Amino acid sequence: DIFVQHTGFLIDYKKRDDMLIWLADENAVFPQISIPYFDSPHWNSFREAKEKGRDLFTNHLNFEEKNRFYQELFTHIPDLTEETKDYYFQCPGLAVSTVLMDNVGLYIENFEGQPYSDEENSILQRFGKVFQQTYTRFLDLQTAEVQAREALIEAALEKVRSQSLAMHNTSEMQLVANAVFEQLRALDLEMDVVGMSGVIEDKQDYDVWIGGAPLGSALRIPYNEDTQVQRDYNKMLKNRPELFVRTYSGQVKKEYIDRLLTHGDFPKALKKKMETSDAFTTLIAPKKNSGIQVVRYTDQPFTDQDAEILKRFAGVFEQAYIRFMDLEKAEAQAREAQIQLSLERVRARSMAMHSSEELNDVLSILFQQFDVLGIKPLNVWLSLFNLEENTFTYRATGTGGSRVQGQQVIDLGALDIWQEQLEQWKSGNAEPVLVTFYPPEVLPQLMEVFKETFEAMPAEERMDPKLFPDGGYNVQGYTKFGYIGYNHLQAPTQEEKDILLKFATEFERVYQRFLEIKKAESQAREAQIEAALERVRAASMAMHQTGDIGAVVVVFFDQLKQLNISFEQAWINIFHLEEGYLDTWFSPLDGIYPGPTYFKFPSGPWEETAIKSWKSGAPF
């Protein structure tokens, strides 16, 4: 039956000047509050009792004193409603009894201003002893809760560590990001998205893995200063503070989100929230090589507990990212070894060339190696320029990569879109790797130019506009002889450009060998022709009478055959223009030597061509 309208439980009052109170009141809307010290009779009485070590003190404030106290007090309780304030201001007075124990206090109040009796204060003191026991129990529970929370956090961190140690290739970094996302959620850290970023060596760009996303590669965020958010991020990444906390709204938020959405595909629900929210709040824990960022698409701040958890996760992710960088280097070394092996296969095939015709086989090997390296082109081609004749020789594999079936000589002016590329090539300022997108409507015209090459291929391997329903990419690498390239449905990655450039450089060596072989072949052919001519000369010098010219024709026939010229019969004509006839000596046909034959000059096309050409001195 003690008249109590309000009671409070003071925690650790000896260690602090403010009041940390657990309270109960019919009008209170919050159970716990911290009120800083301010000059007032009631507060000063509390400080005096604390300093003198008293275990009980009382206060009695009249209407005016009570209201002066409440006016100051309510400035420290911003969430209190005006209705509640009016209630307290209208109360007649304030009577307070406070019992102080070792490290806790217990007070009771009534708003009628009726002081509590000695018996009531004695009962309050007995309750105070019980509350001291309660607080001891509270501290024990608090310690147990901290230990349990710590165990939960450590278990969550260990799951992330385990996932990072289980990485065997860099693509599994997304699994680590997903583990971070899941464990932060398990620890009740409220967020809309979590992103883990890593620096890129020798660049200011950075990669971001979105937690909870499907297995895949990171988003590449290029360095820029275009938005206020990015400028803040860039400064943060440069200075690497322990924590970065900021809320963005309005146009600043919109500009950043609009730019961010251009760098990757986000889940529809998340994208909608990113676009429609009025603000977003970010908390980032950066480390030397990496960082973790959590975002809420509201202006609701993160707690100190959220920040402490994120800092610990950032430490574990830093270890994971260091492992990622080690794997990245190992994969780069393995990839480079794979590329070098493919280059060696092309190199070996080029060194094995014995004739210029085998250049086509080298191109086929090139197709196979692009396939092995995961580029998967539709075909591979080679263009060799002849600027004197304004043409280029075009060779191409089929879509299956089979040996080059056809090649043709094409006018460099056949398509207007080639002119700028040609001028750049001539000037030596051409891009090392040139990527051209051909829309579907251009492809029929393009295919028509190369029609002769493609028609020489098996039907199932021919290039056709139907293979490119949405258009296609022509990717070509510069060489000092022309271009080497391939056709694809997708734009090349930077790595694929780098690979093509290496093969283009290697192909310059291949083509140099081709030219050397071609020169050697030309010299050998010339020697073969000269030997054949010498045999004909020898046969002609051996003639003793005019009839021996038939033997010369036979030698002539045999030597042309040995020179691999395809024909059926050879002959020699001697013109007698004034007499109007000619003598002809034919080579044997089907083993029969016909001997000399007399012909009168025929009239008609033969006379127009053969006689007139001979009379004019034409060599052929």
Side-chain angles (χ1 to χ4, degrees):
D1 297 326
I2 297 176
F3 179 45
V4 178
Q5 292 179 292
H6 176 99
T7 184
F9 182 25
L10 307 174
I11 298 175
D12 291 332
Y13 71 91
K14 290 182 178 180
K15 299 179 182 178
R16 57 205 309 151
D17 285 332
D18 63 337
M19 285 189 179
L20 178 59
I21 311 171
W22 290 80
L23 55 84
D25 185 320
E26 290 182 354
N27 296 293
V29 293
F30 35 81
Q32 186 179 12
I33 191 171
S34 179
I35 303 173
Y37 166 80
F38 59 89
D39 186 23
S40 68
H42 173 62
W43 203 272
N44 293 337
S45 295
F46 172 69
R47 295 186 71 180
E48 180 184 353
K50 183 169 65 171
E51 291 169 0
K52 293 182 177 181
R54 292 162 53 188
D55 59 1
L56 177 72
F57 76 93
T58 61
N59 265 320
H60 177 230
L61 306 180
N62 61 31
F63 182 80
E64 290 78 12
E65 292 171 330
K66 178 262 301 179
N67 282 351
R68 284 197 295 272
F69 172 67
Y70 279 156
Q71 282 175 346
E72 178 70 20
L73 177 68
F74 292 161
T75 63
H76 302 290
I77 313 175
D79 295 331
L80 203 62
T81 66
E82 292 299 321
E83 182 181 0
T84 302
K85 292 178 184 179
D86 290 341
Y87 169 79
Y88 289 118
F89 282 133
Q90 292 171 10
C91 291
L94 178 65
V96 186
S97 286
T98 306
V99 58
L100 299 176
M101 308 305 292
D102 292 341
N103 51 10
V104 297
L106 179 65
Y107 70 87
I108 55 176
E109 296 179 356
N110 68 72
F111 308 127
E112 297 296 326
Q114 299 177 10
Y116 292 102
S117 65
D118 292 341
E119 179 186 6
E120 290 171 333
N121 287 334
S122 176
I123 292 173
L124 177 63
Q125 288 179 298
R126 294 176 66 183
F127 268 84
K129 293 177 181 178
V130 174
F131 264 85
Q132 179 64 45
Q133 296 171 348
T134 300
Y135 188 64
T136 301
R137 171 73 174 155
F138 169 83
L139 292 177
D140 293 341
L141 288 172
Q142 193 176 56
T143 301
E145 288 173 355
V146 169
Q147 292 172 341
R149 179 68 172 174
E150 180 62 24
L152 283 175
I153 294 172
E154 272 302 322
L157 292 170
E158 188 56 37
K159 289 175 182 176
V160 176
R161 288 191 196 99
S162 298
Q163 187 63 66
S164 66
L165 289 171
M167 277 197 298
H168 292 98
N169 57 68
T170 53
S171 67
E172 293 177 347
M173 189 62 165
Q174 184 63 53
L175 297 176
V176 178
N178 291 348
V180 171
F181 175 77
E182 292 164 4
Q183 297 310 311
L184 287 177
R185 279 285 178 88
L187 293 173
D188 299 323
L189 197 159
E190 295 182 11
M191 61 197 166
D192 291 309
V193 66
V194 57
M196 283 128 280
S197 62
V199 298
I200 302 170
E201 192 172 358
D202 300 327
K203 288 188 178 182
Q204 291 181 293
D205 303 347
Y206 54 93
D207 288 331
V208 178
W209 289 265
I210 304 299
L215 190 63
S217 58
L219 297 177
R220 177 64 55 88
I221 306 298
Y223 178 86
N224 67 76
E225 296 280 350
D226 290 350
T227 67
Q228 181 61 52
V229 179
Q230 193 63 59
R231 288 192 290 273
D232 291 346
Y233 283 2
N234 293 342
K235 184 177 179 180
M236 178 270 299
L237 291 171
K238 181 179 179 181
N239 299 328
R240 300 270 167 183
E242 191 174 41
L243 282 172
F244 175 87
V245 186
R246 201 67 56 87
T247 296
Y248 297 97
S249 60
Q251 187 63 23
V252 172
K253 171 260 174 187
K254 183 180 184 304
E255 287 176 355
Y256 174 70
I257 295 300
D258 289 346
R259 185 172 185 86
L260 182 62
L261 290 173
T262 65
H263 297 306
D265 294 327
F266 292 83
K268 288 184 178 179
L270 176 60
K271 182 179 179 181
K272 183 177 180 180
K273 185 174 288 188
M274 292 167 71
E275 291 176 324
T276 59
S277 64
D278 295 326
F280 75 90
T281 301
T282 182
L283 171 64
I284 305 176
K287 291 294 182 182
K288 180 180 178 181
N289 302 291
S290 65
I292 296 184
Q293 175 183 21
V294 288
V295 178
R296 288 175 180 158
Y297 287 99
T298 68
D299 56 4
Q300 178 188 357
F302 290 94
T303 66
D304 292 342
Q305 186 181 46
D306 293 336
E308 289 303 314
I309 289 174
L310 198 67
K311 284 195 292 184
R312 295 177 67 177
F313 271 80
V316 173
F317 185 77
E318 174 77 353
Q319 297 170 351
Y321 191 71
I322 290 172
R323 176 166 172 76
F324 168 85
M325 290 192 293
D326 291 340
L327 288 171
E328 193 173 44
K329 288 178 182 177
E331 288 178 358
Q333 291 169 349
R335 181 64 167 170
E336 183 59 27
Q338 187 184 29
I339 293 169
Q340 288 301 322
L341 179 58
S342 291
L343 285 169
E344 186 56 38
R345 288 173 179 145
V346 174
R347 198 177 293 125
R349 184 63 189 86
S350 67
M351 295 303 293
M353 282 195 299
H354 295 294
S355 72
S356 57
E357 288 299 317
E358 293 180 70
L359 181 64
N360 294 341
D361 293 328
V362 177
L363 204 58
S364 184
I365 293 294
L366 183 62
F367 179 98
Q368 295 171 16
Q369 296 315 303
F370 278 156
D371 213 40
V372 167
L373 294 174
I375 296 178
K376 308 292 183 184
L378 286 176
N379 78 332
V380 173
W381 51 263
L382 171 66
S383 294
L384 301 172
F385 293 164
N386 184 338
L387 297 182
E388 291 181 1
E389 298 183 8
N390 199 43
T391 62
F392 67 95
T393 302
Y394 179 78
R395 294 174 171 86
T397 67
T399 57
S402 62
R403 186 180 185 278
V404 177
Q405 299 292 330
Q407 63 186 58
Q408 68 185 101
V409 176
I410 300 174
D411 188 341
L412 280 167
L415 291 176
D416 293 339
I417 54 179
W418 290 345
Q419 299 313 303
E420 183 179 352
Q421 298 175 13
L422 178 62
E423 290 304 317
Q424 290 177 347
W425 184 88
K426 287 179 181 179
S427 67
N429 296 322
E431 292 288 335
V433 175
L434 186 63
V435 181
T436 306
F437 175 74
Y438 291 102
E441 60 270 18
V442 175
L443 291 175
Q445 179 190 4
L446 189 67
M447 297 294 183
E448 183 64 27
V449 173
F450 300 106
K451 182 178 179 181
E452 181 181 329
T453 300
F454 298 139
E455 286 186 346
M457 296 177 180
E460 66 274 10
E461 289 198 24
R462 291 176 188 167
M463 294 291 285
D464 190 289
K466 294 178 182 177
L467 295 172
F468 305 90
D470 301 315
Y473 290 88
N474 183 279
V475 188
Q476 54 193 46
Y478 172 87
T479 78
K480 61 184 179 182
F481 304 110
Y483 282 102
I484 184 171
Y486 62 84
N487 293 302
H488 210 295
L489 293 174
Q490 298 175 346
T493 64
Q494 185 57 51
E495 186 201 40
E496 289 169 348
K497 291 180 183 179
D498 294 341
I499 289 173
L500 177 60
L501 187 57
K502 289 179 179 180
F503 275 93
T505 302
E506 182 60 37
F507 210 86
E508 283 190 349
R509 301 190 187 100
V510 171
Y511 192 66
Q512 191 62 49
R513 175 163 172 76
F514 167 80
L515 293 178
E516 292 167 359
I517 290 174
K518 196 169 183 180
K519 181 179 179 181
E521 288 175 346
S522 177
Q523 292 171 342
R525 181 66 167 173
E526 183 61 27
Q528 189 182 23
I529 293 170
E530 276 300 325
L533 289 171
E534 187 57 37
R535 294 185 185 101
V536 175
R537 286 191 199 100
S540 66
M541 295 300 294
M543 286 193 301
H544 295 291
Q545 54 186 358
T546 56
D548 292 342
I549 197 170
V552 178
V553 174
V554 173
V555 174
F556 175 49
F557 175 90
D558 292 338
Q559 295 310 305
L560 289 179
K561 282 292 184 182
Q562 290 183 30
L563 291 173
N564 296 320
I565 297 176
S566 178
F567 68 102
E568 297 296 330
Q569 196 173 29
W571 63 80
I572 294 176
N573 289 331
I574 297 179
F575 294 140
H576 300 276
L577 295 181
E578 293 180 0
E579 293 83 356
Y581 72 93
L582 58 85
D583 289 328
T584 302
W585 281 265
F586 287 99
S587 64
L589 188 63
D590 295 329
I592 301 172
Y593 175 62
T597 303
Y598 162 84
F599 285 105
K600 290 183 67 175
F601 285 145
S603 59
W606 189 84
E607 183 180 15
E608 290 293 321
T609 55
I611 301 299
K612 288 185 178 180
S613 295
W614 178 77
K615 288 174 69 175
S616 67
F620 188 76

